[in-house]
Amino acid sequence: MKHMDLLKLSPPRILVTGFALIILLGGILLSLPVSAAPGKAPLPFIDALFTSTSATCVTGLVVADTGRDFSTFGQVVIMLLIQVGGLGFMTMATLVALALKKRISLRERLILQEALNQSSMEGIVRLIRKVIIYSLTIEAVAAIIFTIRWSFDMSFGRAAYFGMWHAVSMFNNAGFDLFGEYKSLTGYVDDFVINAVAMALIILGGIGFIVMSDVMDYRNRRKLSLHTKVVLSCTAFLILFGALVIFIFEYSNPKTLATLGFGGKILGSFFQSVTPRTAGANTLDIAGLRQATQFFIIILMFIGASPGSTGGGIKTTTFTTLIAGIIAMIRGKEDIVLFRNRLAKDRVLKALTITMLALILVIFVSMLLSTTEDYNFLMILFEVTSAFGTVGLSMGLTIHLTVFGKIMIMLMMFAGRLGPLTLAYAIQPNKEKELYRYPEGKIIIG
């Protein structure tokens, strides 16, 4: 492709191309012998590409044990892929440009607008500066706390490495860990410090940089935007309601909460409610959860995080808009109102489009994998939804996937990170202006 052809690409196509190239580069690096742990054979390229996709799309589904199968070089590559994938490659490119004191062009601002899911370009570079400052500050503080806590369990150097690595992974909602044996944070199920810091990182990474910026500016402006109010209220509701449901369903389950004290039960319930915000880390054995809990987590994973965040899913604002629309329709109201603000019809239509595209994608791939993977349907649905929501939770299917299964899950992670609508815009032909409108017709609904 010529340089001029690249310049003509639309912002969605540039985002898709950029992420694809980063994934490919990561796959090549992770398949090198230097990325394999001492005494281990280099990963097959399909597994290296899967790991690269999972890291860049900040998911956390793994076909190789990050702590045991990769060398320090391989683990650092994964951490960098998580950081670039979480913040977005355009954010990282802007960081370099700002460091070199280069001017951000109009076209670059348009791409940043698409990447951060913003409605306008106004203040976009200022927002990018805040994204970088907030991210690095939060990760640094969390890394210090993790280091202090883990220095009681391991050498200080190893604790510092673990602290930095997991701070990046948790804040970017990636779900990768270095503890080995695919056990994530199950060894710290009732450890308050680890749970509190990890949950704080997941929530902050999942609410989105726009919301963080708005909250930080509250002291000066004394008001929050409608977007921030919706994100914070929906996130709080999903976490509290989710924790309550998990606590009730798992209270007497000997494989999860039954063996823990009351404090451990509370922490375990809250962590498993927070992690479907697309984090992927877990303190309870996901395969040991009751089926009702597993299905409930599928719903939470499908909703996912918030716009402009490091997470995936249909997003909290989309979910809130749909629920508000249902309530308005039942009440016979013409307008959908949130916090005394009326939503435009195109917002509702966009929410419906995103949800239907996501549902079609998840259902289609789940049906497809149910014919190629010899496992029960709930396990497959859980895996596919986890990939789409870029969550990373698994009931144990990932390491048993066929090559076809791995390819489909990679495509789901890619679609989930970029968003089904961005992907649809990227692959559709160039839009042409409609020169006429058809007459309005009526059909019976319901």
Side-chain angles (χ1 to χ4, degrees):
M1 185 179 284
K2 294 179 182 177
H3 179 62
M4 288 304 293
D5 291 334
L6 280 170
L7 292 176
K8 290 177 184 176
L9 289 177
S10 64
R13 287 177 183 172
I14 288 174
L15 286 177
V16 169
T17 305
F19 268 99
L21 290 174
I22 291 167
I23 288 168
L24 182 60
L25 175 62
I28 292 169
L29 289 174
L30 292 175
S31 65
L32 297 174
V34 70
S35 292
K40 298 266 186 178
L43 275 188
F45 184 70
I46 184 69
D47 290 348
L49 192 65
F50 187 99
T51 305
S52 178
T53 305
S54 186
T56 308
C57 297
V58 289
T59 305
L61 292 173
V62 291
V63 289
D65 194 311
T66 315
R68 293 189 307 174
D69 295 337
F70 290 98
S71 64
T72 303
F73 175 83
Q75 291 169 1
V76 170
V77 168
I78 291 170
M79 184 182 70
L80 292 174
L81 288 172
I82 290 169
Q83 188 75 82
V84 172
L87 299 185
F89 76 94
M90 277 306 300
T91 302
M92 302 305 287
T94 305
L95 170 62
V96 174
L98 292 172
L100 297 174
K101 297 184 177 178
K102 287 189 175 181
R103 185 176 171 274
I104 310 299
S105 69
L106 176 63
R107 182 160 187 76
E108 287 163 345
R109 290 169 194 262
L110 281 168
I111 300 167
L112 286 168
Q113 179 189 337
E114 179 73 28
L116 291 174
N117 205 6
Q118 291 288 282
S119 55
S120 76
M121 287 188 295
E122 185 181 354
I124 196 76
V125 176
R126 189 165 60 251
L127 177 60
I128 291 295
R129 285 196 183 97
K130 288 180 179 178
V131 165
I132 295 162
I133 292 168
Y134 294 162
S135 300
L136 297 181
T137 303
I138 291 166
E139 287 173 356
V141 171
I144 291 169
I145 299 172
F146 275 148
T147 300
I148 294 169
R149 169 61 188 84
W150 279 323
S151 63
F152 291 98
D153 300 339
M154 56 189 80
S155 68
F156 183 78
R158 186 173 170 81
Y161 176 63
F162 268 51
M164 176 185 67
W165 208 96
H166 289 92
V168 171
S169 179
M170 296 296 171
F171 177 70
N172 289 289
N173 281 208
F176 281 81
D177 70 271
L178 299 177
F179 293 103
E181 300 177 11
Y182 308 101
K183 62 185 180 182
S184 192
L185 297 177
T186 52
Y188 298 94
V189 61
D190 54 0
D191 188 302
F192 179 78
V193 174
I194 298 296
N195 276 261
V197 176
M199 284 192 284
L201 285 170
I202 293 164
I203 293 167
L204 289 172
I207 60 176
F209 302 111
I210 306 134
V211 174
M212 271 195 276
S213 176
D214 203 24
V215 170
M216 294 296 284
D217 290 342
Y218 179 74
R219 188 185 299 176
N220 300 323
R221 297 172 56 201
R222 288 293 169 189
K223 63 180 290 189
L224 296 174
S225 67
L226 174 63
H227 172 80
T228 298
K229 289 176 183 176
V230 169
V231 167
L232 292 178
S233 57
C234 184
T235 301
F237 169 76
L238 289 174
I239 291 171
L240 292 171
F241 180 68
L244 179 64
V245 170
I246 292 167
F247 183 82
I248 293 169
F249 285 178
E250 297 299 315
Y251 188 86
S252 59
N253 186 351
K255 295 179 182 178
T256 55
L257 295 183
T259 57
L260 301 172
F262 188 75
K265 285 181 170 70
I266 296 291
L267 280 177
S269 300
F270 266 97
F271 197 95
Q272 263 53 233
S273 178
V274 168
T275 198
R277 291 282 69 68
T278 84
N282 57 286
T283 57
L284 299 178
D285 178 16
I286 299 300
L289 296 170
R290 291 191 166 119
Q291 283 194 350
T293 312
Q294 290 167 345
F295 188 74
F296 179 68
I297 289 175
I298 287 173
I299 297 169
L300 292 180
M301 292 193 297
F302 185 76
I303 296 168
S306 303
S309 72
T310 58
I314 62 170
K315 304 294 191 293
T316 52
T317 48
T318 303
F319 173 71
T320 305
T321 301
L322 291 178
I323 296 298
I326 292 168
I327 293 170
M329 181 64 73
I330 291 171
R331 289 181 173 177
K333 303 285 186 183
E334 188 175 334
D335 293 330
I336 296 173
V337 178
L338 293 170
F339 295 98
R340 297 185 180 181
N341 283 267
R342 175 173 51 85
L343 293 185
K345 295 285 190 250
D346 69 308
R347 298 292 91 188
V348 182
L349 191 59
K350 186 175 182 180
L352 189 60
T353 304
I354 289 169
T355 305
M356 286 309 298
L357 282 174
L359 266 176
I360 291 167
L361 202 57
V362 168
I363 292 169
F364 175 73
V365 174
S366 297
M367 289 173 66
L368 206 58
L369 291 187
S370 68
T371 63
T372 64
E373 314 301 310
D374 191 21
Y375 291 90
N376 71 66
F377 188 73
L378 184 64
M379 202 172 185
I380 292 168
L381 180 63
F382 194 100
E383 192 83 9
V384 172
T385 310
S386 179
F388 169 75
T390 69
V391 181
L393 293 176
S394 178
M395 290 167 63
L397 175 60
T398 319
I399 56 174
H400 302 295
L401 287 169
T402 61
V403 172
F404 178 78
K406 289 173 184 176
I407 291 169
M408 294 310 297
I409 293 297
M410 279 192 279
L411 291 174
M412 286 300 290
M413 291 190 285
F414 192 69
R417 179 65 186 97
L418 288 161
L421 211 53
T422 299
L423 211 55
Y425 288 153
I427 61 177
Q428 73 175 0
N430 292 327
K431 288 189 289 185
E432 293 182 4
K433 188 177 180 181
E434 293 184 3
L435 302 176
Y436 56 88
R437 295 179 73 189
Y438 290 100
E440 186 179 288
K442 291 185 179 180
I443 59 172
I444 299 171
I445 302 291

